[in-house]
Amino acid sequence: MVSRSKLFSAAVLFAAFLQPAQADPPRAVVELFTSQGCSSCPPADAVLAELAREPDIVALSFPVNYWDYLGWKDTLAHKSFTERQKAYAHARSDRQVYTPQMIINGAKPCIGSDRTRVEASIRDATGTQAKLPLDVDLKETNDTVTINVRETDMADMRAAEVWVLPVLREHTVPIERGENRGKTVTYANVVRGLKRVGEWRGGSARFEVPLEAARGGADGYVVLLQTSDESRPGVILGAARSASLR
């Protein structure tokens, strides 16, 4: 006959088995600014799709609209993504806005189609760090997403804005006109919006967002903790993605 204590232990182990596995803390967030109307972009889209499969990298596609005049209007583009890319350029003071451009951890730009340069830029942006400075945990309960930021002992840590980004895991587009006419391109982790939900000012903190708002009709969502200077995006201190995007 099995004792009650053994049954209890087995139940605890089974419950733990049912819990979703925790994702590896990301060491890098890679943002690709891309366009369906840019002939140089499909190779960069393929590079981002490869990066999206790496467990310690949060890879995001931001379709921009400034090439729409070339004969094909990007079906996924949003002006807020173009504004984000331009704001990065203003923050760096180099005014370089182009496609395909990747931004690593909110700080390091590079040409997105050059895999060797992208990998070097990730190494330069992360240095010796195995993960981003802030740990971010996500939990979904009763149609609510709880964002937990763990306390850090880094005294010089700046405040950061908390953003939720609805994301399509994958989306395929047949392009009928423009520079990529006749091509069918599959995009990975396509951002569908930018939603500011609060500000982190140090220590442990908790934020709650309705699950429906976090997903925004997409497959999942990504949370970013990012510094800001006069409304210009800066260094990304922490990130996490929903289980549906892992």
Side-chain angles (χ1 to χ4, degrees):
M1 184 174 180
V2 180
S3 66
R4 290 184 179 180
S5 61
K6 289 183 178 180
L7 286 173
F8 177 77
S9 299
V12 170
L13 288 172
F14 183 69
F17 175 78
L18 291 178
Q19 294 297 317
Q22 293 295 316
D24 294 338
R27 65 186 173 97
V29 175
V30 179
E31 302 176 51
L32 171 63
F33 294 93
T34 183
S35 172
Q36 295 168 18
C38 164
S39 61
S40 301
C41 284
D45 300 318
V47 170
L48 189 94
E50 293 173 3
L51 293 174
R53 292 192 287 270
E54 298 191 18
D56 60 350
I57 291 180
V58 176
L60 300 168
S61 296
F62 285 87
V64 296
N65 63 359
Y66 49 80
W67 296 127
D68 286 358
Y69 73 91
L70 293 178
W72 176 256
K73 185 175 181 179
D74 193 301
T75 60
L76 298 169
H78 197 281
K79 64 179 183 179
S80 65
F81 304 157
T82 298
E83 291 167 356
R84 180 174 177 84
Q85 187 184 18
K86 289 180 178 179
Y88 270 132
H90 283 288
R92 296 192 307 268
S93 300
D94 61 18
R95 305 298 177 94
Q96 292 186 3
V97 176
Y98 59 86
T99 56
Q101 184 180 54
M102 285 187 181
I103 308 293
I104 317 298
N105 288 353
K108 183 74 176 178
C110 67
I111 298 173
S113 55
D114 187 336
R115 180 63 190 260
T116 300
R117 185 172 295 185
V118 170
E119 291 176 346
S121 296
I122 292 174
R123 289 193 298 270
D124 290 345
T126 57
T128 59
Q129 295 181 345
K131 62 179 183 177
L132 292 169
L134 291 179
D135 289 333
V136 183
D137 293 326
L138 304 178
K139 184 177 182 181
E140 297 179 8
T141 308
N142 298 327
D143 297 324
T144 298
V145 177
T146 301
I147 304 165
N148 285 303
V149 183
R150 297 182 191 172
E151 186 173 3
T152 176
D153 58 0
M154 297 179 67
D156 61 344
M157 189 69 72
R158 290 177 286 170
E161 295 179 327
V162 183
W163 294 86
V164 174
L165 288 61
V167 173
L168 287 174
R169 187 180 183 92
E170 186 176 277
H171 193 78
T172 300
V173 179
I175 302 172
E176 300 174 4
R177 295 183 300 277
E179 292 188 352
N180 288 318
R181 180 177 58 187
K183 292 183 179 180
T184 297
V185 182
T186 298
Y187 298 90
N189 289 353
V190 186
V191 178
R192 304 313 302 139
L194 292 159
K195 303 176 182 181
R196 186 183 185 279
V197 299
E199 186 175 12
W200 175 82
R201 292 185 174 274
S204 297
R206 173 176 173 170
F207 306 86
E208 292 187 347
V209 185
L211 178 58
E212 184 177 352
R215 285 182 178 167
D219 299 317
Y221 53 91
V222 165
V223 173
L224 299 180
L225 268 70
Q226 186 167 26
T227 61
S228 176
D229 183 11
E230 297 181 354
S231 299
R232 296 170 183 170
V235 176
I236 294 174
L237 302 178
R241 55 194 159 191
S242 63
S244 57
L245 298 178
R246 296 172 197 161

